[in-house]
Amino acid sequence: MTKLITYPDSLGGNLKELEQVLEEDFKGIFSGVHILPPYPSSGDRGFAPIDYKQIDPRFGNWEDISRIAEKYDLTLDFMVNHVSAQSKMFKDYLENGDKSEYKDFFLTPEKIFGKNEPSADDIKNLVLRRKRPWSDYKLANGETIRIWTTFGGQDPSEQLDVDINTDIVRNYYKDLFEFFASKGLKELRMDAIAYAVKKPGTSCFFVEPEIYEFMNWIEAEANKAGIKILHEIHAPLKDMRKLAQKKYQNYDFLISYAILEALLIKDAKLLVKLLEDPDRPDDWVTLIDCHDGIPVQPDMNGILNEADMVEVVNITERNGAKFTELHSTEKAYENAPNVHQICGTLYSLLGEDDDSFVIARAIQLFVPGIPQVYYEGIFGGVHDYPEYERTGDGRELNRRNYSRADIREALQRERTQRILKLIEFRNNNKFYEGSFSVAYSENKLELIWTNIFDKYDTKLEIDLNSLEARIITSESGKEEVFKI
């Protein structure tokens, strides 16, 4: 199973066109699709949801979503940590203040710390995604209120944190799970769930054990509606191991950076270390590029070689990357830049080298896991500098929209055809049903699957120096070689 990741308007402009692209341009390639937020939103390209029960009319309607869900394994996003400042809940609160039925819906600093102005000691522990994790808003009566806002590029933020411990928020979740199920949805991605639990004296990120209690509740309620949950948690290896041990479904964000590093510095030691980890789950979602950037910190904290990280950052910067930062006061690496994510198209980050680009995807498709492929990572597009210049957001380098004509043109690229053939090979060969191992020596990497259906073996051989790669399938002493 291989799943496509796309915005609702990135492939053709709307959901009906996206369905046609899946049926015609990508026929037989993808068994599923993760459609990034199609709801009305006031910011962050869909991630400041105003109303989940509506589809932005620019994209289509819920009938379009349901029709796609009938044909494909569909995933949609649920922003469990926050809602839009334009949502009916917050508009009602602004209008009616303490008389609003939604007065308990939103999280305030006072609820967390017992005071409206957290101290420097309170702040220093936090994993900060913006310089100040709260925003001030003015009620209709002129009173100023302060709401916790983990995310948002504006001040005040368009993304307001909800109080997950209140009945009104929990009932809001349950109602939406039932609604999603009624539209044929089978999987929800819990965006930013690691930030949902806040507790004084902690980082307010992945707070244990409370985060597990909340995740368990979310999964139980969603499962009642027939919906499975995919968590989106960016955390260091030690926390990834805990999630794996507790059998949560999550992303393996660690190999995203490790693949990039292997190709840029011609050394796969970090990737091999991760793949040989006995605690690494073989049923997590894998990806390289996505709508955000390639994760560095905090995901890779504790396992990165600082000099290698600096080299990767320097190379990608020369290749046109932009970087997002954490605003935490504590640094994980003394001499390395404070990089949260490396932003840009995978093709451009790899120096617009076709072989590196194709090999990166081959590695992802060959490691254990459930691969998801971002649409721009199929076409091998270059950085979208005009959109970056327009918005100032480095993530926009990798969010270009393609018309149907653009898609037809991109499908003619040799690198695109090589990627599609790799996905087809994985779909048809089903080597992931075998036993996996990895071998690495003198910059030569082998990803090996053996005893596939008790019949044959398959391996991917890569020379990181020459960037030559091939797939070898052997059965009953006969070998077949595929040059990628």
Side-chain angles (χ1 to χ4, degrees), residues 104-122:
D104 295 326
F105 198 90
F106 300 96
L107 187 67
T108 65
E110 189 171 4
K111 286 183 179 181
I112 305 170
F113 299 103
K115 52 193 173 185
N116 212 28
E117 186 79 39
S119 68
D121 284 341
D122 294 327

Side-chain angles (χ1 to χ4, degrees), residues 184-202:
L185 190 68
K186 301 297 183 185
E187 182 173 78
L188 280 173
R189 173 185 180 267
M190 291 291 114
D191 176 75
I193 193 170
Y195 292 92
V197 175
K198 283 84 170 177
K199 185 177 179 181
T202 74

Side-chain angles (χ1 to χ4, degrees), residues 269-280 436-440:
K269 61 181 181 294
L270 174 61
L271 176 63
V272 171
K273 178 181 178 180
L274 293 172
L275 293 177
E276 289 182 335
D277 188 330
D279 294 321
R280 181 183 182 272
F436 179 76
S437 62
V438 57
Y440 184 56

